[in-house]
Amino acid sequence: MNQTNNRFPEMFMWGGATAANQLEGAYLEGGKGLNLADVLPGGSSRIKLLNKPGFNFEIDQLKYVYPNHDGIDFYHRYKEDIALLSEMGFKVFRLSIAWSRIFPNGDELEPNEEGLAFYERVFDELLKYDIEPIVTIAHYETPLHLIKEYGGWRNRKLVYFFERYATVLFNRYKDKVKYWLTFNEINSATHMPLLGLGFSPDSEETRLQDSFQGLHHQFVASAKAVKLGHEIIPNAQIGCMLLYATTYSYDSNPENVMHALEEARIFNNFCGDVQVRGKYPSFIKRYFKENNISIEMEDGDLELIKEGTVDFISLSYYMSRTEKKSKTLEEAGEGNLIGGVKNPFLKSSDWGWEIDPIGLRIALNELYDRYQVPLFVVENGLGAYDKVEDDGTINDDYRIDYLREHIKAMGEAIKDGVDLIGYTSWGCIDLVSASTGQMSKRYGFIYVDKNDDGSGTLERSKKKSFNWYKDVIESNGNVI
């Protein structure tokens, strides 16, 4: 193996990341209620459903497959899976808590003890192996009752339901969990309001108004959680979580450069400015005015947001984004979830996501220059088709190549002066894809024998990348 000059900090936190709704299964066991993910079908059309005004949650269950219902059965097999993570040398493991396991409807006064006890067992198992849990409080798992009865995060009442939920978590797990994230990829809400905010827009005309109102409620809820977390767990580190897409202008045409800047401000910077700086940025005023957006706030909201700023920024990074003010259908980067045009300098994954490791280095520099708080890459990885050979091996060199280049980019960012504290590769064990509802879109170092139609043995096996990542962790990123 080749030695590199990427010097990671001695206490750098290496690990992997998952979400409850994509791996747990047992969707109605242990007193759990239905959440948003439970009613989203499998298949690549789910993203189109997410963005369709008036999306009907009452889907005919005989017509669709629901892979989230079973996931990879982590609910029953967590000990086996955590042992494999330990074998790789994980220092940290990012997971989410399914809100509807703790409050089945979301608006109860008392939590579900079976749900609380399940996560306690998971945390104890992680700590047995000296793996630090990193917990996402809300990861696209809004209880379905809160969506149907209250209209999701458009409704101010969800702030209080979330506050109750977070308080229960902090009190129950205060001796087991130090690192917390409030809302997963909070800035994705305007692109995918159903996933992020728990509602589908009534019309395209109301999408932005409703989305930014829902975001304001999440800002308030996050600030409340940060303050509560610090009171209940004095040594807690509580972060925000952004879906970051380094944004390029298509060319040096000033109109395109300005357009790229405007897109980057709204998508990459707006939520970070509120959650880290503690105030709405000046550029948003013009955007709100030009898009007829008016945010309803209660007295004290802005003071609370200022008092409840996060300790660090966590981010997902999968792709960059190239922007052109006027584009044709042929120019559109269809595979990229967040729009833009095709970048002629980049290759794409099997699902059309453009691969840009240097963009990660740029992202980390942009974020650290802007905020000067610690950064944590909590999602990054390659969704790809994996083939099991006749001898049972899975030679995922394409995944190794992808991760190697992104880890190198992180090393360069650290040498640039960025305070980067950790890295958790997304989907460290194969799970259900959030964007497509497929098992065939695999990210993991651990292969799970399950197919898109739900068939399979659920047997776990190691891919080639398993031992490669183990070496990366053992060498602290210096041997890749």
Side-chain angles (χ1 to χ4, degrees), residues 24-294:
E24 281 183 4
Y27 82 112
L28 287 180
E29 289 188 44
K32 178 182 170 295
L34 288 173
N35 65 36
L36 169 62
D38 296 325
V39 297
L40 289 180
S44 58
S45 64
R46 75 164 30 187
I47 279 294
K48 294 179 181 178
L49 288 172
L50 296 183
N51 292 314
K52 183 179 179 181
F55 173 65
N56 180 12
F57 296 110
E58 304 300 332
I59 300 172
D60 178 6
Q61 296 207 20
L62 298 176
K63 186 177 178 182
Y64 296 98
V65 173
Y66 291 80
N68 300 76
H69 288 186
D70 300 316
I72 61 166
D73 199 29
F74 180 82
Y75 187 83
H76 297 108
R77 306 178 69 147
Y78 67 89
K79 289 186 177 182
E80 171 189 354
D81 293 338
I82 290 171
L84 287 167
L85 304 182
S86 174
E87 188 178 338
M88 268 189 286
F90 274 30
K91 310 298 182 187
V92 294
F93 178 53
R94 179 189 172 215
L95 69 163
S96 70
I97 290 178
W99 188 346
S100 61
R101 279 204 192 281
I102 310 305
F103 289 96
N105 288 325
D107 60 357
E108 296 94 342
L109 295 178
E110 297 297 328
N112 171 36
E113 174 58 30
E114 284 188 82
L116 288 168
F118 165 69
Y119 291 108
E120 189 155 27
R121 293 192 298 270
V122 171
F123 297 147
D124 285 343
E125 194 70 13
L126 288 167
L127 295 172
K128 183 176 82 174
Y129 291 102
D130 294 322
I131 299 174
E132 187 97 45
I134 301 171
V135 174
T136 312
I137 300 174
H139 193 133
Y140 298 158
E141 293 153 343
T142 305
L144 190 61
H145 176 73
L146 298 185
I147 296 172
K148 295 173 67 176
E149 182 70 22
Y150 299 93
W153 280 95
R154 284 178 290 200
N155 194 318
R156 177 84 185 201
K157 290 182 180 178
L158 265 72
V159 173
Y160 306 106
F161 300 145
F162 183 85
E163 181 180 11
R164 183 183 299 145
Y165 166 51
T167 302
V168 167
L169 298 187
F170 293 146
N171 279 313
R172 181 64 172 250
Y173 306 125
K174 59 186 176 183
D175 297 323
K176 301 179 188 295
V177 180
K178 174 183 176 182
Y179 292 94
W180 300 85
L181 309 177
T182 52
F183 290 94
N184 179 68
E185 295 181 332
I186 189 170
N187 58 315
S188 69
T190 56
H191 281 251
M192 298 180 291
L194 180 56
L195 270 184
L197 297 168
F199 65 83
S200 55
D202 297 325
S203 69
E204 187 58 33
E205 288 71 29
T206 64
R207 181 176 67 86
L208 288 178
Q209 168 63 41
D210 290 346
S211 296
F212 280 99
Q213 183 64 61
L215 270 176
H216 177 74
H217 292 154
Q218 288 192 344
F219 293 150
V220 173
S222 176
K224 283 177 174 283
V226 170
K227 292 188 69 177
L228 279 166
H230 286 151
E231 291 168 6
I232 297 169
I233 316 172
N235 68 334
Q237 292 292 297
I238 307 173
C240 63
M241 202 291 206
L242 306 175
L243 167 57
Y244 201 90
T246 303
T247 305
Y248 308 123
S249 172
Y250 180 73
D251 55 24
S252 57
N253 182 334
E255 285 192 355
N256 290 331
V257 173
M258 189 67 222
H259 177 67
L261 173 62
E262 290 171 342
E263 290 294 320
R265 277 175 154 182
I266 299 300
F267 190 77
N268 289 334
N269 302 144
F270 169 60
C271 291
D273 284 0
V274 177
Q275 293 192 286
V276 183
R277 290 176 167 173
K279 61 182 180 180
Y280 275 74
S282 56
F283 65 76
I284 204 66
K285 295 178 183 177
R286 177 174 180 174
Y287 182 84
F288 282 174
K289 182 178 181 181
E290 292 179 351
N291 288 278
N292 298 313
I293 298 168
S294 178

